[in-house]
Amino acid sequence: MSWRPQYRSSKFRHVFGKPATKESCYDGVPITCSVQDNNFCAVNPRFLAVITECAGGGAFLVLSIHHTGKVDPHHPRVSGHRGNVLDIKWNPFNDYCIASCSEDNTVKVWEIPPHGVMKNLTVAWKELQGHSRRVSLIEWHPTANGILFSTGYDYQIMIWNLDCSEQVIKNPVRTISHHSDVVLSMSFNTDGSLLATACKDRKVRLMETYSGNLLQEANSKTHKATKVLILGNMKMLLTSGTSRWNDRQMALWDQDDLSVPLLEENVDGSSGVMFPFYDPDTHMLYLAGKGDGNIRYYEISSEKPYIHYLTEFRSSLPQKGMGVMPKRGLDVSSCEVFRFYRLVTIKSLIEPLSMIVPRRSEAYQEDIYPMTPGNRPALTADEWLCGVSKGPVLMSLKPGTQVAESYPEMNKGLGNSLDTRRSQSRPGMLQLAFIQNQLGTKEAKGDGGHADDHRGRTAVSNGEDLALCSPPRTENEMRLKFHKQQEEIRRLRELVNQRDVRIKQLELEIKNIKNSQSPEVS
C-alpha cells in the first residue's frame, strides 16, 4: 500500500496574515454606524476613503494612504450628499476619481485633488439622478472607461456614461429591470461582458452587461445568497449566504448551468454577512464575516472538490467592513499577495492586514505575481456602448517597471488646481519633480502632448507615492524617507535609460520595415 500525503501541495498553503503595527494604522476615524451590508471603505495606491458619521447629511473621509497614525477629528470631508452615504468606489483607471451613492437617491462622482482633501468638498464633478429610491450599491466597469453601474431600492440597475459634458446626468444609457427585490451584490467577469447579481428574492442572476439580457437564473431552496462573485475566467460563480437552517454557507455554481450548485459548504453558525474576496492571480478566496475577527482563506481549483481550505487569520477585534488594495499597490518585496483594510468600529481604527507568502529569497517572485490588470482602460465608453468587448490591459508588478500615472481627465474648471508648491517645499522633492517632468516631456512627444497633465505629479513605484507621505516625526523616520527618495530617484534614472534604449530599438525596427518594403513598392 503506497503512502499518500494527507494534504494538497500548494505554494499558498502557508500564507499568513500580518496586521500592521499601531503606528501604521489609521486611528480616531469616526466609522459609520450604518447597518447596510457594504464594505464602507475603498482603497487605491494613493488614497483611503471611508464612510463616516456626519450630522445633517452623508459624508466620507479621504486620507492619503501614507498618512497613518491619529486622524484629525476635524479633517476635511467629502460632504455633498443630503442623506447617508451607503457605498463608495474608486475609479479603477483614475486614482483621483471616486463615486458615492446615498439615501438621497443620487450617485455622485468626485474629483479628489492630487494632494488630498484640504477643505470640505461639497460640489461633485458629476451628479447622476435617475433612481426613485435610495441607491445602495455602485460598481465601475472593469475594462471600459467612464462606465458606472448603480442599483438601489427601486430594484433597477442603471448604467451611466460619464464621458459627457453635462454636470447633472438624468438619463442612464441603459436600465436593467429583471429584479423583483433589492439587489444585494454585483460582480463582473474579467472582461466585463457578464454581470452576476444576488437579490433579496433569493435568486442569483447572470446577464450580459451590454444588452442587459438575462442568461441564467438560480433559485436554490437550500441556499440563500447575499453576496456573489464571478471567479475570473474559471467559468464559475461563488455565492455566500445562509443555509436552510441559518448556518453561514458558501456555494459554487457552474456559470453555464445555474440550476443546481456544484458545491455547498457550511462555514459556521454565526449571523453576520460574509464578504467574499477573490484573487484571480493566485486563485485564492478570502471569506471575511461582518462582526467577526477572523478571515478564512481557500484555494479554488477547476476540478473536484473545487474549494481547498488553507487556514485563517484570527483577531480579537471584530471588523465592520473591508477595503482591498488593488494589486498594483502591493509590496512585492515582502511577497504580499493581498491587502485588506479592516474597519474596527469599537476602536475607531482602520487596520491594514497583509497576506504574505513566506519565501526565503528577497528576489522578485514571478510565480506568485503574474501579469495583472493595471490602471489603463481597454475601451472607451463609446466603444463599449457600440458593443465592443475587450479583456483588461495587463501590467507587471516587477520592481522598476513603471506604473502608469493615473491622472484625472475630468473637467479642470470644476476641480482644484494642482498644488505644486506643496510637493516642492519638501526636502528632495525638487529633484524628483525635475525627473518626473523630464519623463512627462518624453511621453508628450509620443502621446500628442500631455505634459501639462503630468506636471506637479510625483513618482509612483509599486504604489508608493513619496509626496503623499505624512511628515516625519523622528530623525529615524526622516532618514528612512530620505533613503526611500534616493532609491526612487535611482529607479527613475534607470527607467529613463530603459526608455531611451527602447526608443532606439523601435526606431531601428521602423527603419528596417521601411527598407524591406521599399523594394516591393518599386
Side-chain angles (χ1 to χ4, degrees):
M1 184 175 177
S2 61
W3 177 84
R4 291 186 179 181
Q6 297 297 313
Y7 61 89
R8 177 174 171 269
S9 176
S10 169
K11 67 182 74 171
F12 303 109
R13 181 169 181 80
H14 300 290
V15 169
F16 66 95
K18 183 181 180 182
T21 59
K22 180 74 173 176
E23 294 76 22
S24 300
C25 295
Y26 306 82
D27 196 9
V29 181
I31 301 168
T32 179
C33 295
S34 171
V35 296
Q36 191 81 17
D37 291 327
N38 286 340
N39 289 319
F40 303 122
C41 181
V43 192
N44 68 26
R46 293 180 179 274
F47 297 110
L48 165 72
V50 57
I51 301 174
T52 64
E53 283 297 295
C54 179
F60 59 95
L61 275 176
V62 175
L63 305 170
S64 164
I65 202 71
H66 302 294
H67 193 164
T68 56
K70 189 74 174 177
V71 175
D72 185 356
H74 302 294
H75 192 283
R77 307 183 187 200
V78 182
S79 54
H81 284 287
R82 298 185 302 276
N84 291 331
V85 177
L86 300 180
D87 195 19
I88 49 176
K89 293 281 174 25
W90 288 105
N91 186 336
F93 311 119
N94 188 340
D95 288 345
Y96 305 95
C97 174
I98 188 170
S100 61
C101 62
S102 167
E103 291 181 350
D104 62 7
N105 306 349
T106 65
V107 179
K108 295 191 178 185
V109 185
W110 308 85
E111 179 185 17
I112 303 300
H115 295 290
V117 179
M118 301 299 176
K119 59 181 180 180
N120 285 343
L121 284 182
T122 56
V123 179
W125 174 61
K126 299 281 185 185
E127 182 171 337
L128 315 180
Q129 300 176 357
H131 288 279
S132 58
R133 299 184 67 186
R134 55 181 169 172
V135 189
S136 57
L137 202 60
I138 48 176
E139 290 287 349
W140 293 91
H141 192 279
T143 60
N145 192 29
I147 298 294
L148 184 67
F149 287 65
S150 65
T151 183
Y153 281 69
D154 54 2
Y155 313 156
Q156 309 289 319
I157 295 179
M158 296 187 178
I159 307 173
W160 306 88
N161 176 17
L162 305 183
D163 191 11
C164 61
S165 57
E166 293 86 3
Q167 193 264 333
V168 177
I169 306 174
K170 296 188 176 180
N171 298 312
V173 294
R174 198 164 290 112
T175 301
I176 300 174
S177 306
H178 298 307
H179 302 85
S180 59
D181 211 325
V182 179
V183 177
L184 303 175
S185 176
M186 295 191 292
S187 175
F188 296 95
N189 65 341
T190 304
D191 62 5
S193 60
L194 297 176
L195 172 67
T197 61
C199 184
K200 204 172 180 181
D201 62 6
R202 303 178 69 101
K203 293 182 180 180
V204 176
R205 294 173 175 87
L206 185 67
M207 59 200 79
E208 290 182 340
T209 52
Y210 169 70
S211 64
N213 293 335
L214 185 64
L215 302 177
Q216 296 275 335
E217 190 174 272
N219 187 9
S220 174
K221 295 181 180 178
T222 59
H223 177 76
K224 181 182 179 182
T226 54
K227 299 291 178 184
V228 63
L229 277 181
I230 299 181
L231 301 182
N233 289 326
M234 294 189 72
K235 299 284 185 181
M236 290 192 290
L237 273 69
L238 182 126
T239 57
S240 64
T242 56
S243 69
R244 183 181 296 173
W245 298 277
N246 277 338
D247 290 331
R248 290 201 295 191
Q249 186 183 63
M250 61 178 168
L252 203 62
W253 308 77
D254 183 355
Q255 184 174 298
D256 298 323
D257 182 13
L258 298 183
S259 57
V260 180
L262 295 173
L263 175 72
E264 289 181 351
E265 184 173 320
N266 288 354
V267 178
D268 58 27
S270 299
S271 57
V273 171
M274 285 194 305
F275 299 105
F277 302 92
Y278 180 67
D279 181 2
D281 296 340
T282 61
H283 300 296
M284 286 184 65
L285 170 72
Y286 302 86
L287 280 184
K290 184 178 180 180
D292 296 356
N294 61 337
I295 299 174
R296 298 174 176 87
Y297 12 115
Y298 305 79
E299 195 168 4
I300 306 293
S301 66
S302 56
E303 299 175 353
K304 289 185 178 181
Y306 304 115
I307 298 177
H308 307 274
Y309 175 75
L310 296 174
T311 182
E312 67 177 313
F313 165 79
R314 293 182 180 179
S315 171
S316 59
L317 301 175
Q319 64 240 358
K320 182 183 178 71
M322 312 280 283
V324 174
M325 174 66 76
K327 295 300 285 285
R328 57 192 172 89
L330 299 182
D331 180 13
V332 297
S333 62
S334 64
C335 296
E336 183 184 32
V337 292
F338 216 74
R339 190 191 304 165
F340 293 102
Y341 286 78
R342 302 174 62 235
L343 305 187
V344 183
T345 312
I346 59 174
K347 290 201 170 186
S348 299
L349 186 75
I350 302 178
E351 178 189 56
L353 173 66
S354 299
M355 294 298 166
I356 307 292
V357 178
R359 294 283 174 95
R360 290 183 179 178
S361 173
E362 294 182 358
Y364 177 70
Q365 308 292 318
E366 293 191 12
D367 61 322
I368 62 175
Y369 295 115
M371 296 289 283
T372 191
N375 60 346
R376 294 204 172 183
L379 299 166
T380 63
D382 291 336
E383 287 173 336
W384 184 80
L385 291 171
C386 291
V388 181
S389 180
K390 284 184 183 178
V393 178
L394 302 180
M395 60 170 284
S396 172
L397 298 180
K398 189 172 184 178
T401 305
Q402 184 192 18
V403 177
E405 178 70 32
S406 181
Y407 56 88
E409 297 176 348
M410 301 186 251
N411 190 343
K412 294 180 182 178
L414 294 171
N416 295 333
S417 61
L418 302 181
D419 187 7
T420 55
R421 290 174 296 176
R422 183 176 176 84
S423 64
Q424 292 177 354
S425 64
R426 306 191 180 202
M429 290 312 300
L430 284 170
Q431 193 173 2
L432 270 174
F434 171 76
I435 295 172
Q436 186 65 15
N437 283 340
Q438 294 300 313
L439 286 174
T441 306
K442 284 179 178 288
E443 285 180 352
K445 292 177 181 178
D447 297 341
H450 285 298
D452 291 337
D453 292 318
H454 288 278
R455 281 182 199 143
R457 308 288 186 211
T458 51
V460 179
S461 179
N462 289 328
E464 183 172 5
D465 187 346
L466 297 174
L468 296 179
C469 296
S470 55
R473 302 181 183 88
T474 63
E475 187 178 343
N476 286 336
E477 284 189 15
M478 186 177 290
R479 190 180 291 110
L480 239 147
K481 290 182 187 294
F482 172 76
H483 288 310
K484 282 185 178 179
Q485 287 181 349
Q486 293 301 312
E487 176 66 18
E488 194 68 24
I489 291 170
R490 184 188 64 79
R491 286 181 180 175
L492 285 169
R493 283 174 176 161
E494 288 179 358
L495 188 60
V496 171
N497 292 334
Q498 291 171 6
R499 281 187 175 183
D500 290 340
V501 171
R502 183 60 181 156
I503 289 171
K504 289 179 181 178
Q505 289 176 346
L506 291 172
E507 287 175 350
L508 284 172
E509 289 177 10
I510 292 170
K511 192 179 292 184
N512 291 336
I513 292 171
K514 286 181 178 178
N515 291 336
S516 62
Q517 289 178 346
S518 55
E520 297 176 5
V521 174
S522 59

